[in-house]
Amino acid sequence: MKNGEGYNSSRRTFLRNLGALAVGAAFIQSCAKKIKSVALRLTGTSHILGHRLWAKDFPNPTKELSIPILIVGGGITGLSAARQLMRKGAEDFLLIELEDHTGGNSSNGENAYSKYPLGAHYLPLPNFHDKELIAFLEEENIITGYDNAGYPVFDEEQLTFSPQERLFYKNTWQEGLIPRYGSSEKTIAEFDHFFKLMEGFRDQKGKDGKYSFDLPIENGSHDANNKELDAITMQQWLTDNGFKTEEVFEYVDYCCRDDFGLGIKYVSAWAGVHYFAARKHNNGESNKESVLTWPEGNARLASHLKRYALNKTLVNHIVFEVASVDDKVVVKVFDGQNKKTIAIAANKVIMAIPQFVNGYIFKQRKPLVKEFNYAPWLLATITLSDLPDDFGQPLSWDNVIYKGEGVGYIYDQHQSLKQVHQKKVITYYHAFSCNDVVAKRKEVYGKGKEYWKEFVLNDIKKAHPWIEDFTEDIAIHILGHGMISPVPGFIFGNARKQASSVIENKIFFAHSDLSGISVFEEAFHQGINAANKLLNETTLD
């Protein structure tokens, strides 16, 4: 999978060996005493302010504003829309965001030792034909040039350093996430067969010449090919295609939980295949297995987009009413800091927020929300006095425990050129995969930080039995509506199409949940497409 070699690997190995004695001394010292208390912090999105949408107990407006274009939502989609408007010369707009910062699920935290992600933490290298995304990466010097064959050259310090991935399997760590070492010949044969099938889907095109599976989804073929896969689960597809070994089911389940929040029992087979087939790995031989990542995760990409909305953004503001009045759209906004309501009259509005929020603002759309399933997530960033590279394979960027409750942890300092750190910082990810995400969300919010501390550490103990001896701080971050989860029937159902429909050529909807897959590429293109549609259908004088 994501295994890479080269200059970064050599540099990391050299620096690691240089500091080995210092790390060893810290290890011995940290084992001498057990941490008696752990600093715990429980954070999350602004669900308290957001929940006021239920009651609609906001004061009457005391201020009025007028603006040609209003963007509601400062996640990747809203920020991408702002960028596209600026590029097209439509600079007179305002962006509204509920949180005290923009970025959405591409946000980050920081402690004394490292930045760390509070959501999405990497971007696979884009498909070569995704010229919009490639142009953005070039603008931000993530792509530094092009080789003789015309393929992008990526900044090596933003590509994942080696070692990239490891799996704790049969009581030892091994390189990569596919359990090849210690697996039976039958298991290896099934993995080889599975990836051969996925290669076929990856190359498949419809009669219109477009890929059957692509990013964004809307760029894919409109032929009927493979739509039947959306009627069954990925688990059913595996069974129907003769797969039997536990390792294959576990691996595909991990991949689905990682990208969709729900595992193979619950997600559509079409979505499961899309995970493997949509990314073409066609940016040149040297770029096949790498991804882009940063200590703060995709908050780095959000920071690049934020400059397009500089001095055009209001945070801690929640939109609670949107109404079409004559030739305007009147949007009522509550200022959470000053406790006042503002009425904003706009010519056009882009609603770049998830549909479960739109359901409270547009009552006629509330029935559609029931078709949108959002998996809750928990992230735990742990500061450690050390985390020894035990059981053979060294600490990697991505560290996954076979049959673990979560989807593993990332080493937040992995991209640092400083290979000996005073403390180590990791972020653990857990998606609550279940058949009732609404009930699970309530359950998650009902648990306290002590419960989550034990929950997280008990899972990591499967690979690191003594982790409590090194743990100094745990920051728990809960995302109640972490990502859209494409259950069977959703990708090709009517809910996405209806929720995307424009109201009176004045109110446009854009968000990754309208794609059905919550990845950066979808959110990025949703913003571009909404801005283009708005500008093509209106004259903003």
Side-chain angles (χ1 to χ4, degrees), residues 4-275:
E5 298 291 334
Y7 172 68
N8 287 325
S9 177
S10 300
R11 175 169 53 189
R12 286 176 57 81
T13 302
F14 171 75
L15 292 172
R16 184 185 300 276
N17 292 338
L18 196 64
L21 291 176
V23 172
F27 172 78
I28 294 171
Q29 185 176 10
S30 65
C31 286
K33 61 178 181 178
K34 186 180 179 72
I35 301 294
K36 294 183 178 180
S37 63
V38 175
L40 280 172
R41 288 160 289 126
L42 188 62
T43 64
T45 55
S46 296
H47 60 279
I48 295 176
L49 179 59
H51 285 181
R52 290 190 63 175
L53 281 172
W54 295 352
K56 293 287 182 74
D57 58 342
F58 299 103
N60 292 325
T62 57
K63 182 180 179 181
E64 295 182 357
L65 295 176
S66 181
I67 195 80
I69 304 174
L70 180 67
I71 301 173
V72 180
I76 293 300
T77 296
L79 294 172
S80 178
R83 169 180 172 269
Q84 188 67 0
L85 291 174
M86 291 289 286
R87 294 174 77 206
K88 296 292 185 178
E91 300 182 7
D92 198 359
F93 65 84
L94 183 66
L95 186 149
I96 299 291
E97 168 57 38
L98 164 66
E99 301 287 341
D100 61 3
H101 62 278
T102 54
N105 285 350
S106 293
S107 299
N108 75 283
E110 185 173 4
N111 59 25
Y113 310 103
S114 180
K115 293 180 180 179
Y116 52 85
L118 293 176
H121 64 277
Y122 70 99
L123 174 66
L125 299 191
N127 292 334
F128 187 63
H129 55 278
D130 189 349
K131 300 307 181 185
E132 287 278 8
L133 183 50
I134 286 177
F136 168 64
L137 297 179
E138 187 176 358
E139 289 170 12
E140 306 306 332
N141 295 317
I142 298 171
I143 291 176
T144 59
Y146 292 83
D147 63 19
N148 293 333
Y151 292 114
V153 175
F154 293 87
D155 178 9
E156 63 175 21
E157 292 187 10
Q158 300 185 67
L159 292 169
T160 42
F161 293 166
S162 294
Q164 291 182 314
E165 297 172 328
R166 64 175 181 171
L167 176 71
F168 191 76
Y169 176 66
K170 294 187 176 180
N171 296 317
T172 191
W173 289 102
Q174 61 174 260
E175 185 178 7
L177 299 185
I178 301 170
R180 292 189 178 275
Y181 306 108
S183 294
S184 67
E185 291 185 3
K186 180 180 179 181
T187 297
I188 299 302
E190 283 203 5
F191 269 115
D192 291 342
H193 179 54
F194 175 79
F195 288 116
K196 185 176 181 179
L197 290 177
M198 292 304 107
E199 287 175 8
F201 283 122
R202 185 181 300 133
D203 295 335
Q204 185 184 85
K205 291 184 178 181
K207 295 178 181 178
D208 52 9
K210 296 181 178 181
Y211 285 110
S212 296
F213 297 89
D214 204 354
L215 281 168
I217 283 178
E218 297 305 319
N219 283 2
S221 174
H222 294 287
D223 285 355
N225 289 345
N226 310 307
K227 287 187 178 180
E228 71 280 0
L229 296 178
D230 195 41
I232 62 173
T233 66
M234 190 60 185
Q235 183 180 64
Q236 184 64 52
W237 183 88
L238 288 168
T239 301
D240 290 348
N241 282 270
F243 292 96
K244 299 181 183 300
T245 59
E246 175 190 87
E247 288 83 353
V248 171
F249 279 78
E250 285 293 325
Y251 172 72
V252 180
D253 185 67
Y254 156 80
C255 292
C256 288
R257 286 185 293 141
D258 189 43
D259 246 31
F260 311 130
L262 298 184
I264 57 175
K265 291 181 181 179
Y266 312 111
V267 300
S268 148
W270 191 95
V273 171
H274 183 275
Y275 174 93

